[in-house]
Amino acid sequence: MTTENITFGAAEEDTAEPGFTDPYAGFDDDGVGTVYTVSGGDWDTISGAPEGEKERIVVNMGPQHPSTHGVLRLILELEGESVHEARCGIGYLHTGIEKNLEFRTWVQGVTFVTRMDYLAPFFNETAYCLGVEKLLGITDEIPERASVIRVLMMELNRISSHLVALATGGMELGALTAMTFGFRERELILDIFEMVTGLRMNSAFVRPGGVAQDITDDQVRRIRETLPLLRNRLSDTAGLLVDNAIWMGRTVNVGYLDLAGCMALGITGPVLRSTGLPHDLRKSQPYCGYETYDFDVVTRDTADCYGRFLIRLDEMQQSMRIIEQALDRLEGNPGPVMVGDPKIAWPARLSIGSDGQGNSPEHIQHIMAESMEALIHHFKLVTEGFRVPAGQVYSAVESPRGELGVHIVSDGGTRPYRVHYRDPSFTNLQATSVMCEGSMVSDVVAAVASIDPVMGGVDR
Amino acid sequence: MSDTTPTNPDSTQPPVTPAEAGVEVALGQTTATAGQLTIVGVREGAFGVQGSGDTSGFGGLVEPIVMPGPTPRPYGGWFDEVADELGLALADHDLPMTSAIEKVVVDRGEITFFVRREHLPVVAGVLRDEPSLRFEMCMGVSGVHYPHEAGRELHAVYHLQSITHNRRIRLEVTCPEGDARIPSIVSIYPTNDWHERETYDFFGIVFEDHPHLTRILMPDDWPGHPQRKDYPLGGIPVEYKGAEIPPPDLRREYS
């Protein structure tokens, strides 16, 4: 170790005490005290690389990296090109939605939760509303038509979410055509969302007690017309990748996670089903009347990225089956789409005018010119909201990524006391290290893509 | 299995009564008997108006916040089976059900076991491993803060799922704010790693023996625990067409 150092002032070599070895803090010549020097940074003096061991480096992949699925930060310890340790850094998209919910009414909560997992807004909304309805004790009073519309929107949403999973996954592995195909097909579904709810995403369409707006027969017809095109294009995407040697080379036997690993890590969704376990909440704990629809739970037993990819493809086909059944039930079956209790049902209705979607003129006419009581009722329900009896519930739906659970606590007030989302992306992302460690850097990208995390849901 | 019936928790941990909170409340107005009430706070006034000339009379409203209280046997359905099996399995570990489980609440078709915190790892291990219980999946932990429930301000709520039996139960563990420690169950359910870190981040509950208990969503140097009820939401007032709209946590709240 050297005693030569740079000092401020007039410190000189011969004034240092004999035998003194601290290179960074010597004594000044007046003996006043320690002089701190600007030096150091020589790793060799701190730790030398052990003999016979390869050099390891720590690489931050993300949070701004095109192949980490949003603002996900992967901290990789690399030895050459193989991953020795993989850790996730999350929190870059934390927006405090759960805290904000505690300061809004129960109905306003929908507007927040729809923004959590932004690729699956209808699942966020439905899980929340099912929980609120369970707290209110009105689960059995939800109109049949409202449940069918919820199922329809959720299954359309499942296809659009899986399409983004394929699209971004394809892009990350270099299959750019899969990306253009996936986003193009998703556009068809977003057009349906826009037609039905007025918004392409974050539509706050599912409300406690039902849905915000009925679907017209004309809209049903137009959704039906989209389906053959969508079906054709889905098979195009499948044909592009299923037997593609490059795609298989990147995904087969990559990102392996077996059933025991999934159980221990709480993994659900396509990753769990890729181990061969047919666990799907739509079958095992049906909600919204899923037990009355005819569909299959898709599984594979390869427990790898390729299996998860195939599951997503087949699940889209199953969703198409459910959508067709839902459309059959909607057509020519008019009925209410909101619970009958006017203390809970949202008073206003939307309608489409020459300037776009807005409050129905009939309703405005009614409350502003005809009935003072209707105005008071509208005002009270919109500003104050309804009270929800005290207690707590857990409601779960099968989102495209797995079990989306909501723990809702009410203290009997007009606002949620606590809402906690158990987001599948958050939980599934914990599998990154077990899937990636020991593999190559390129396989990390494939493994994370097969988990399909959405950082809006992870960080909330 | 009558010996496994949970006793009333009031014998060991009396809940906050309105009298203790300095408020007189007519308890007879509620349907539950007084011994079964779980009062977590008191709501005062209406419309969120404080100190103004309230002429409606609602400003004087005082009402206890009552959560569903302990449920006596039978719980109904498979709940009794799970409770019986849990009691038997705990007995194998020389742990009487009554000392491990504080109370059982059945509400809205869901069963909640209030577990005393020192026994949580044993109870969770039994629930996972016992073939007749087999809750092989934990859906994480969620915190809830009840600032007015003296001695048990912080709750950690675990949701367990059994895919084998297609059942769900809830475990609830409480700890005082001054001693916010709960044993970690990461060694039993590894999925709780991130969930416990999240609950620590937002509620300040220290999960003992967690392998790496650090903040996960908030920045590492963040002061305070944001999901606690005494932590403000923050925000700035916004001016719109000459009127000033206060931040959401300072608006009229219609409690």
PDB file of all heavy atoms in Angstrom, chain A residues 20-44:
ATOM      1  N   PHE A  20       3.241   5.637   9.186  1.00  0.00           N
ATOM      2  CA  PHE A  20       1.812   5.868   8.958  1.00  0.00           C
ATOM      3  C   PHE A  20       1.409   5.354   7.574  1.00  0.00           C
ATOM      4  O   PHE A  20       2.101   5.621   6.595  1.00  0.00           O
ATOM      5  CB  PHE A  20       1.518   7.362   9.070  1.00  0.00           C
ATOM      6  CG  PHE A  20       0.071   7.688   8.871  1.00  0.00           C
ATOM      7  CD1 PHE A  20      -0.848   7.349   9.844  1.00  0.00           C
ATOM      8  CD2 PHE A  20      -0.350   8.277   7.704  1.00  0.00           C
ATOM      9  CE1 PHE A  20      -2.182   7.628   9.659  1.00  0.00           C
ATOM     10  CE2 PHE A  20      -1.689   8.550   7.516  1.00  0.00           C
ATOM     11  CZ  PHE A  20      -2.606   8.220   8.491  1.00  0.00           C
ATOM     12  N   THR A  21       0.321   4.650   7.494  1.00  0.00           N
ATOM     13  CA  THR A  21       0.001   4.002   6.220  1.00  0.00           C
ATOM     14  C   THR A  21      -1.349   4.392   5.648  1.00  0.00           C
ATOM     15  O   THR A  21      -1.713   3.918   4.591  1.00  0.00           O
ATOM     16  CB  THR A  21       0.007   2.476   6.390  1.00  0.00           C
ATOM     17  OG1 THR A  21      -0.860   2.130   7.467  1.00  0.00           O
ATOM     18  CG2 THR A  21       1.396   1.957   6.656  1.00  0.00           C
ATOM     19  N   ASP A  22      -2.133   5.193   6.340  1.00  0.00           N
ATOM     20  CA  ASP A  22      -3.450   5.532   5.771  1.00  0.00           C
ATOM     21  C   ASP A  22      -3.272   6.451   4.575  1.00  0.00           C
ATOM     22  O   ASP A  22      -2.782   7.572   4.725  1.00  0.00           O
ATOM     23  CB  ASP A  22      -4.302   6.225   6.837  1.00  0.00           C
ATOM     24  CG  ASP A  22      -5.737   6.409   6.363  1.00  0.00           C
ATOM     25  OD1 ASP A  22      -5.951   6.337   5.137  1.00  0.00           O
ATOM     26  OD2 ASP A  22      -6.620   6.618   7.208  1.00  0.00           O
ATOM     27  N   PRO A  23      -3.603   6.001   3.377  1.00  0.00           N
ATOM     28  CA  PRO A  23      -3.342   6.823   2.198  1.00  0.00           C
ATOM     29  C   PRO A  23      -4.324   7.975   2.036  1.00  0.00           C
ATOM     30  O   PRO A  23      -4.103   8.865   1.245  1.00  0.00           O
ATOM     31  CB  PRO A  23      -3.472   5.829   1.055  1.00  0.00           C
ATOM     32  CG  PRO A  23      -4.412   4.801   1.551  1.00  0.00           C
ATOM     33  CD  PRO A  23      -4.215   4.723   3.036  1.00  0.00           C
ATOM     34  N   TYR A  24      -5.420   7.916   2.761  1.00  0.00           N
ATOM     35  CA  TYR A  24      -6.482   8.894   2.487  1.00  0.00           C
ATOM     36  C   TYR A  24      -6.606   9.967   3.555  1.00  0.00           C
ATOM     37  O   TYR A  24      -7.277  10.966   3.361  1.00  0.00           O
ATOM     38  CB  TYR A  24      -7.831   8.169   2.339  1.00  0.00           C
ATOM     39  CG  TYR A  24      -7.753   7.042   1.360  1.00  0.00           C
ATOM     40  CD1 TYR A  24      -8.187   5.769   1.690  1.00  0.00           C
ATOM     41  CD2 TYR A  24      -7.238   7.258   0.081  1.00  0.00           C
ATOM     42  CE1 TYR A  24      -8.101   4.739   0.782  1.00  0.00           C
ATOM     43  CE2 TYR A  24      -7.142   6.228  -0.814  1.00  0.00           C
ATOM     44  CZ  TYR A  24      -7.569   4.968  -0.475  1.00  0.00           C
ATOM     45  OH  TYR A  24      -7.474   3.960  -1.356  1.00  0.00           O
ATOM     46  N   ALA A  25      -6.027   9.758   4.718  1.00  0.00           N
ATOM     47  CA  ALA A  25      -6.171  10.746   5.779  1.00  0.00           C
ATOM     48  C   ALA A  25      -4.871  10.849   6.567  1.00  0.00           C
ATOM     49  O   ALA A  25      -4.631  10.080   7.495  1.00  0.00           O
ATOM     50  CB  ALA A  25      -7.327  10.368   6.702  1.00  0.00           C
ATOM     51  N   GLY A  26      -4.015  11.758   6.165  1.00  0.00           N
ATOM     52  CA  GLY A  26      -2.758  11.948   6.875  1.00  0.00           C
ATOM     53  C   GLY A  26      -2.854  13.141   7.809  1.00  0.00           C
ATOM     54  O   GLY A  26      -3.942  13.719   7.998  1.00  0.00           O
ATOM     55  N   PHE A  27      -1.737  13.510   8.433  1.00  0.00           N
ATOM     56  CA  PHE A  27      -1.720  14.676   9.308  1.00  0.00           C
ATOM     57  C   PHE A  27      -1.119  15.863   8.573  1.00  0.00           C
ATOM     58  O   PHE A  27      -0.239  15.710   7.744  1.00  0.00           O
ATOM     59  CB  PHE A  27      -0.893  14.369  10.562  1.00  0.00           C
ATOM     60  CG  PHE A  27      -1.606  13.450  11.494  1.00  0.00           C
ATOM     61  CD1 PHE A  27      -1.393  12.097  11.419  1.00  0.00           C
ATOM     62  CD2 PHE A  27      -2.503  13.952  12.406  1.00  0.00           C
ATOM     63  CE1 PHE A  27      -2.047  11.252  12.280  1.00  0.00           C
ATOM     64  CE2 PHE A  27      -3.158  13.100  13.274  1.00  0.00           C
ATOM     65  CZ  PHE A  27      -2.945  11.747  13.212  1.00  0.00           C
ATOM     66  N   ASP A  28      -1.613  17.029   8.854  1.00  0.00           N
ATOM     67  CA  ASP A  28      -1.001  18.205   8.234  1.00  0.00           C
ATOM     68  C   ASP A  28       0.256  18.588   9.014  1.00  0.00           C
ATOM     69  O   ASP A  28       0.520  18.079  10.109  1.00  0.00           O
ATOM     70  CB  ASP A  28      -2.001  19.358   8.158  1.00  0.00           C
ATOM     71  CG  ASP A  28      -2.326  19.916   9.521  1.00  0.00           C
ATOM     72  OD1 ASP A  28      -2.011  19.231  10.519  1.00  0.00           O
ATOM     73  OD2 ASP A  28      -2.894  21.009   9.577  1.00  0.00           O
ATOM     74  N   ASP A  29       1.049  19.519   8.466  1.00  0.00           N
ATOM     75  CA  ASP A  29       2.364  19.772   9.040  1.00  0.00           C
ATOM     76  C   ASP A  29       2.286  20.562  10.338  1.00  0.00           C
ATOM     77  O   ASP A  29       3.224  20.598  11.114  1.00  0.00           O
ATOM     78  CB  ASP A  29       3.268  20.477   8.026  1.00  0.00           C
ATOM     79  CG  ASP A  29       2.592  21.665   7.410  1.00  0.00           C
ATOM     80  OD1 ASP A  29       1.393  21.952   7.767  1.00  0.00           O
ATOM     81  OD2 ASP A  29       3.217  22.314   6.580  1.00  0.00           O
ATOM     82  N   ASP A  30       1.160  21.224  10.607  1.00  0.00           N
ATOM     83  CA  ASP A  30       1.035  21.958  11.855  1.00  0.00           C
ATOM     84  C   ASP A  30       0.534  21.080  12.987  1.00  0.00           C
ATOM     85  O   ASP A  30       0.419  21.529  14.118  1.00  0.00           O
ATOM     86  CB  ASP A  30       0.080  23.148  11.693  1.00  0.00           C
ATOM     87  CG  ASP A  30       0.629  24.126  10.676  1.00  0.00           C
ATOM     88  OD1 ASP A  30       1.870  24.237  10.599  1.00  0.00           O
ATOM     89  OD2 ASP A  30      -0.176  24.736   9.964  1.00  0.00           O
ATOM     90  N   GLY A  31       0.187  19.872  12.652  1.00  0.00           N
ATOM     91  CA  GLY A  31      -0.334  18.979  13.687  1.00  0.00           C
ATOM     92  C   GLY A  31      -1.729  19.362  14.142  1.00  0.00           C
ATOM     93  O   GLY A  31      -2.154  19.025  15.240  1.00  0.00           O
ATOM     94  N   VAL A  32      -2.465  20.133  13.320  1.00  0.00           N
ATOM     95  CA  VAL A  32      -3.791  20.595  13.728  1.00  0.00           C
ATOM     96  C   VAL A  32      -4.776  19.432  13.746  1.00  0.00           C
ATOM     97  O   VAL A  32      -5.604  19.304  14.635  1.00  0.00           O
ATOM     98  CB  VAL A  32      -4.290  21.697  12.783  1.00  0.00           C
ATOM     99  CG1 VAL A  32      -5.712  22.081  13.118  1.00  0.00           C
ATOM    100  CG2 VAL A  32      -3.367  22.892  12.889  1.00  0.00           C
ATOM    101  N   GLY A  33      -4.705  18.587  12.760  1.00  0.00           N
ATOM    102  CA  GLY A  33      -5.663  17.485  12.706  1.00  0.00           C
ATOM    103  C   GLY A  33      -5.502  16.699  11.420  1.00  0.00           C
ATOM    104  O   GLY A  33      -4.519  16.860  10.699  1.00  0.00           O
ATOM    105  N   THR A  34      -6.487  15.917  11.166  1.00  0.00           N
ATOM    106  CA  THR A  34      -6.431  15.038  10.008  1.00  0.00           C
ATOM    107  C   THR A  34      -6.715  15.829   8.739  1.00  0.00           C
ATOM    108  O   THR A  34      -7.599  16.675   8.719  1.00  0.00           O
ATOM    109  CB  THR A  34      -7.487  13.941  10.155  1.00  0.00           C
ATOM    110  OG1 THR A  34      -7.330  13.378  11.444  1.00  0.00           O
ATOM    111  CG2 THR A  34      -7.295  12.857   9.121  1.00  0.00           C
ATOM    112  N   VAL A  35      -5.982  15.561   7.702  1.00  0.00           N
ATOM    113  CA  VAL A  35      -6.262  16.139   6.394  1.00  0.00           C
ATOM    114  C   VAL A  35      -6.844  15.053   5.511  1.00  0.00           C
ATOM    115  O   VAL A  35      -6.251  13.985   5.344  1.00  0.00           O
ATOM    116  CB  VAL A  35      -4.974  16.702   5.761  1.00  0.00           C
ATOM    117  CG1 VAL A  35      -5.255  17.121   4.330  1.00  0.00           C
ATOM    118  CG2 VAL A  35      -4.461  17.866   6.572  1.00  0.00           C
ATOM    119  N   TYR A  36      -8.042  15.300   5.018  1.00  0.00           N
ATOM    120  CA  TYR A  36      -8.684  14.302   4.158  1.00  0.00           C
ATOM    121  C   TYR A  36      -8.308  14.573   2.723  1.00  0.00           C
ATOM    122  O   TYR A  36      -8.354  15.712   2.258  1.00  0.00           O
ATOM    123  CB  TYR A  36     -10.206  14.344   4.347  1.00  0.00           C
ATOM    124  CG  TYR A  36     -10.593  13.868   5.720  1.00  0.00           C
ATOM    125  CD1 TYR A  36     -10.770  14.767   6.764  1.00  0.00           C
ATOM    126  CD2 TYR A  36     -10.722  12.504   5.971  1.00  0.00           C
ATOM    127  CE1 TYR A  36     -11.082  14.319   8.030  1.00  0.00           C
ATOM    128  CE2 TYR A  36     -11.037  12.051   7.228  1.00  0.00           C
ATOM    129  CZ  TYR A  36     -11.225  12.964   8.260  1.00  0.00           C
ATOM    130  OH  TYR A  36     -11.533  12.527   9.511  1.00  0.00           O
ATOM    131  N   THR A  37      -7.944  13.547   2.036  1.00  0.00           N
ATOM    132  CA  THR A  37      -7.456  13.708   0.674  1.00  0.00           C
ATOM    133  C   THR A  37      -8.432  13.109  -0.325  1.00  0.00           C
ATOM    134  O   THR A  37      -9.195  12.208  -0.001  1.00  0.00           O
ATOM    135  CB  THR A  37      -6.106  13.021   0.511  1.00  0.00           C
ATOM    136  OG1 THR A  37      -6.274  11.644   0.859  1.00  0.00           O
ATOM    137  CG2 THR A  37      -5.080  13.647   1.428  1.00  0.00           C
ATOM    138  N   VAL A  38      -8.398  13.652  -1.525  1.00  0.00           N
ATOM    139  CA  VAL A  38      -9.274  13.150  -2.584  1.00  0.00           C
ATOM    140  C   VAL A  38      -8.498  12.071  -3.319  1.00  0.00           C
ATOM    141  O   VAL A  38      -7.586  12.351  -4.069  1.00  0.00           O
ATOM    142  CB  VAL A  38      -9.677  14.279  -3.538  1.00  0.00           C
ATOM    143  CG1 VAL A  38     -10.621  13.751  -4.588  1.00  0.00           C
ATOM    144  CG2 VAL A  38     -10.301  15.407  -2.760  1.00  0.00           C
ATOM    145  N   SER A  39      -8.854  10.866  -3.071  1.00  0.00           N
ATOM    146  CA  SER A  39      -8.088   9.759  -3.626  1.00  0.00           C
ATOM    147  C   SER A  39      -8.929   8.506  -3.530  1.00  0.00           C
ATOM    148  O   SER A  39     -10.125   8.559  -3.240  1.00  0.00           O
ATOM    149  CB  SER A  39      -6.770   9.602  -2.863  1.00  0.00           C
ATOM    150  OG  SER A  39      -6.055   8.507  -3.350  1.00  0.00           O
ATOM    151  N   GLY A  40      -8.337   7.388  -3.753  1.00  0.00           N
ATOM    152  CA  GLY A  40      -9.050   6.127  -3.595  1.00  0.00           C
ATOM    153  C   GLY A  40      -9.641   5.636  -4.892  1.00  0.00           C
ATOM    154  O   GLY A  40      -9.275   6.081  -5.981  1.00  0.00           O
ATOM    155  N   GLY A  41     -10.590   4.733  -4.758  1.00  0.00           N
ATOM    156  CA  GLY A  41     -11.211   4.157  -5.934  1.00  0.00           C
ATOM    157  C   GLY A  41     -10.376   3.063  -6.566  1.00  0.00           C
ATOM    158  O   GLY A  41     -10.685   2.589  -7.648  1.00  0.00           O
ATOM    159  N   ASP A  42      -9.303   2.668  -5.900  1.00  0.00           N
ATOM    160  CA  ASP A  42      -8.482   1.600  -6.455  1.00  0.00           C
ATOM    161  C   ASP A  42      -8.993   0.269  -5.909  1.00  0.00           C
ATOM    162  O   ASP A  42      -8.734  -0.095  -4.763  1.00  0.00           O
ATOM    163  CB  ASP A  42      -7.019   1.812  -6.050  1.00  0.00           C
ATOM    164  CG  ASP A  42      -6.539   3.181  -6.508  1.00  0.00           C
ATOM    165  OD1 ASP A  42      -6.890   3.558  -7.630  1.00  0.00           O
ATOM    166  OD2 ASP A  42      -5.837   3.846  -5.724  1.00  0.00           O
ATOM    167  N   TRP A  43      -9.747  -0.417  -6.721  1.00  0.00           N
ATOM    168  CA  TRP A  43     -10.382  -1.648  -6.252  1.00  0.00           C
ATOM    169  C   TRP A  43      -9.349  -2.676  -5.813  1.00  0.00           C
ATOM    170  O   TRP A  43      -9.602  -3.468  -4.926  1.00  0.00           O
ATOM    171  CB  TRP A  43     -11.273  -2.231  -7.347  1.00  0.00           C
ATOM    172  CG  TRP A  43     -12.529  -1.452  -7.508  1.00  0.00           C
ATOM    173  CD1 TRP A  43     -12.838  -0.595  -8.493  1.00  0.00           C
ATOM    174  CD2 TRP A  43     -13.650  -1.454  -6.619  1.00  0.00           C
ATOM    175  NE1 TRP A  43     -14.077  -0.042  -8.297  1.00  0.00           N
ATOM    176  CE2 TRP A  43     -14.607  -0.561  -7.154  1.00  0.00           C
ATOM    177  CE3 TRP A  43     -13.952  -2.112  -5.424  1.00  0.00           C
ATOM    178  CZ2 TRP A  43     -15.820  -0.316  -6.534  1.00  0.00           C
ATOM    179  CZ3 TRP A  43     -15.167  -1.877  -4.817  1.00  0.00           C
ATOM    180  CH2 TRP A  43     -16.081  -0.978  -5.369  1.00  0.00           C
ATOM    181  N   ASP A  44      -8.193  -2.637  -6.448  1.00  0.00           N
ATOM    182  CA  ASP A  44      -7.193  -3.648  -6.121  1.00  0.00           C
ATOM    183  C   ASP A  44      -6.780  -3.585  -4.655  1.00  0.00           C
ATOM    184  O   ASP A  44      -6.447  -4.593  -4.048  1.00  0.00           O
ATOM    185  CB  ASP A  44      -5.952  -3.461  -6.991  1.00  0.00           C
ATOM    186  CG  ASP A  44      -6.264  -3.752  -8.445  1.00  0.00           C
ATOM    187  OD1 ASP A  44      -7.361  -4.320  -8.683  1.00  0.00           O
ATOM    188  OD2 ASP A  44      -5.466  -3.406  -9.316  1.00  0.00           O
TER     189      ASP A  44
END
